[in-house]
Amino acid sequence: MAATIRRVRSSARIRQIALTSGWLLVFLISLLPILGIVVGLWPPEQVTFADLKPFLAYQGLSVSIFMTLFSAIFSTLVSLYIAFMVYSQYHLSQRLQSFEKYLAPLLSLPHLAIALGLVFLFSDGSLFFVDPGLPRKGLSTLILAIVIKEVPFFLLIFSAIGRQLPIKYWLLQGKALGYQDYRCWWFLVFPPLLKQSRLALLAAAAYTLSVVDVSLLVGPNIPELFAVSVYRWQTSFAAGDQALAFWANVMLVILLAVTVFILYAHEKLAHGACKSLATQGSRFYLGKINPIFTAWLPMLGLLTAMMVVVFALWSFGFNWHSDSLVLTQLTTKLWQDEWLFFSLPLQNSLLIGFFAGLLGVALALLALELQRQKGKYWPDYYWLLAIILPQLSMVLGWQIMHIWSQGGYHSGWIVLSHLPFTFAYAYLVLKGPFLNVEPRYELLAASFGYSSWQSWWQVRFRLLLPAVFTAFAIAFSVSISQYIPTLMMGAGRVTTITTEAVAIGTGTQQDLIALYVLLQSILPFMAFFVAALLARRFRGSMGGNSVRDY
Amino acid sequence: MLEIIDCQIQAKTWRITLPDIHLNKGELLVITGPSGIGKSTLLHWLLGNNPQHVAITGQILLSGINVTDLAIEQRRVGLLMQDVYLFPHLNVQDNICFALPKTPQLSSKKQRRFAAMKMLEQIKLAHLARRYPQNLSGGERSRVGLIRALANQPQVMLLDEPFAALDPSTREQMGTWAFQQLTEQNIPSVMVSHDVEDIPSSAKQLCLADYYQTLEQIKAEMSDD
């Protein structure tokens, strides 16, 4: 018995040390976004309020800011409403299971690939061009690309929230009281769903506010979107540009605050409207167009497939303007010529994505487990800061710290700079399944003599395994599509498929652009494919479908 | 043998002081009482899963050894609940393998699978070995659950309304079968039950309500003293 007590004491000490270092690690990673913002927004010595004047007087600033804010709010809200309509068509139906299965691969296509896919398919000179078509560079193309990408994102968020709400019974009650199906959806389901999607809405809007790669390639030119200006000033050495960059970063944070305010006001308004319509017993016919949205997902699948096919055909030298459109013209010449150039970026992308994804998932699991042991879960917005705060200002702060540390330009730094994002998305994906693991399984394992470590590993982790695979695929995709952190931390010396795709995308060689964007799309798709295969191999109570995000 | 000594369940407004309990091998103790009185709480305390809303004091002795301060995994106490909680990622055979104790005779996967299969054969459920818990009927799940708990060779078995979810005819059959298994294996058992019909005639009974005192009663008693 004395030996047992001694063993218990020493294992308690090891446990204590492990817990403390675990918390320390998780804090470090979760605090990186705040640290980045603070350092990034710390005024350089030479900046004064006098510099605010040239910033505010900068030509086209107000239009640029307005367009940026408009695209962020508009694309987010349009995506929200489309996603809700689609969700109301699929929820409770037999096809729900299959729709969730297909969402993840649809989501895997990076924003950039969707944006360029639209250009390749619908803009001037393309296959399906119908006058006036989509502009090669313009706000409409950008907003459309973002809506296409965000709708599946919101669908996953809704289905995760929906699992915890008694939607079935609300609809039943509503219908028993004589309301039609679509009115029940708007009166009874929409308000709580909207309230619980706050963070997702904010994450989507914040992304659009500070996205550089997509804005650069398909956003309008004169004036350019605000994020592009911010990035240009940040990287410029011209006199006065650093001061402009500082005030522009301040403006980005103000824009984020305005976005929060508008989204909150929208929520209040929508709540009020639903409530007043419901209390009046009002009739409105918006819901009648719901059936149209049933077609959204098949159409999206078709569109995605078309984009990939068009990229592939372009990269294999298919000539759209030739008189005889025959597949025998296809050649692998471009792939052979380019192999020398894309093999290193491809290898970098794979390695960085793998490690950033793996560490992101491991840290998310650690953060969840530590909170579970404490018996208290911190609010989500703390863990998701990396995807809520403006990326440009945050990464600027990291870049400054990186320069201070004189760390050099190793891919390890890029992995570290991707980690807050992969961590945040992995956390978002894993939290639901993690909380849903029945604690009595571990209690039973303990009753069979398994220690808490053993039962965590053999029971909780095993039950979560399918969700862990999906989380990894999502984290990997997030890492693959990172542009700003890769470019700024690697100082252009660590190239990935994404940085190359953007660099080439600003040029005019259509077939080369297609090749790189195709590569950028294939990597996440492969990750999802492998994750789905593995998830099927390992059974778990928490299906791999219970994903929430990108 | 299980002994429970000086056991007291203390809540904010009430207290239960239990008499000392001695349970020999193969004996069954049934704890009854109205819902919310702390039956399951007492059972979880015996398991080592200390409740948060009440304080339980007392000593638990298993074969003469005080296990009160040991963690769940060091007690070797079996548990069967209403929901059997077979691990969904393991098939029936591997669920039993998971519970088998780690001994030199049961060190390899092959030996463990063989032992699990033998246990299933003994209860004529070998045909379920490869099935996953989701594909079992309620009765089958309960049987596998009990066999899994017994596979761990527990020093005492705790049963928390184990058959409440079964339909009446299966419940009766399952009850008879389960108590027979426990008696055959000479394991002392403690069962919590709502249903008096569940209880075999040979069982000892403990009704918690008989030992329940409100705060007022305790105060009155103290002032009498």
Side-chain angles (χ1 to χ4, degrees), chain A residues 408-451:
Chain A
Y409 301 104
H410 190 264
S411 335
W413 289 108
I414 315 283
V415 170
L416 188 64
S417 73
H418 288 191
L419 197 51
F421 305 105
T422 55
F423 166 78
Y425 279 111
Y427 187 89
L428 198 63
V429 175
L430 285 172
K431 193 183 172 192
F434 189 89
L435 291 182
N436 285 341
V437 173
E438 172 59 56
R440 279 177 227 186
Y441 286 126
E442 279 161 294
L443 191 68
L444 274 168
S447 82
F448 295 142
Y450 288 83
S451 72

Side-chain angles (χ1 to χ4, degrees), chain B residues 14-42:
Chain B
W14 54 266
R15 185 171 77 185
I16 293 173
T17 311
L18 290 179
D20 288 356
I21 294 162
H22 300 270
L23 209 58
N24 289 318
K25 286 181 175 175
E27 277 186 333
L28 171 68
L29 170 74
V30 180
I31 301 174
T32 56
S35 53
I37 201 167
K39 302 187 295 286
S40 292
T41 309
L42 180 65

Side-chain angles (χ1 to χ4, degrees), chain A residues 285-433:
Chain A
Y285 296 97
L286 186 64
K288 291 237 162 170
I289 57 168
N290 267 354
I292 297 171
F293 291 92
T294 318
W296 183 275
L297 284 176
M299 291 303 287
L300 184 61
L302 187 68
L303 189 67
T304 310
M306 268 161 50
M307 286 176 179
V308 173
V309 169
V310 162
F311 292 144
L313 286 175
W314 265 105
S315 74
F316 286 113
F318 192 75
N319 186 358
W320 303 103
H321 304 294
S322 140
D323 292 335
S324 55
L325 293 177
V326 280
L327 292 176
T328 45
Q329 300 170 341
L330 298 187
T331 156
T332 54
K333 187 170 179 307
L334 186 67
W335 285 83
Q336 285 169 1
D337 291 349
E338 275 304 305
W339 169 250
L340 191 67
F341 298 102
F342 74 67
S343 57
L344 182 66
L346 186 64
Q347 189 189 331
N348 282 341
S349 282
L350 283 169
L351 281 177
I352 294 168
F354 179 77
F355 285 110
L358 197 68
L359 289 172
V361 170
L363 282 169
L365 280 173
L366 183 65
L368 285 163
E369 178 58 25
L370 289 171
Q371 292 177 92
R372 184 176 76 96
Q373 298 212 355
K374 214 151 191 180
K376 202 177 158 202
Y377 287 84
W378 291 25
D380 283 349
Y381 60 79
Y382 173 75
W383 300 110
L384 305 183
L385 277 173
I387 50 176
I388 295 172
L389 294 172
Q391 198 190 43
L392 266 173
S393 324
M394 194 158 60
V395 179
L396 177 68
W398 297 344
Q399 192 188 26
I400 294 171
M401 290 191 287
H402 178 224
I403 292 167
W404 285 341
S405 71
Q406 297 185 334
Y409 301 104
H410 190 264
S411 335
W413 289 108
I414 315 283
V415 170
L416 188 64
S417 73
H418 288 191
L419 197 51
F421 305 105
T422 55
F423 166 78
Y425 279 111
Y427 187 89
L428 198 63
V429 175
L430 285 172
K431 193 183 172 192

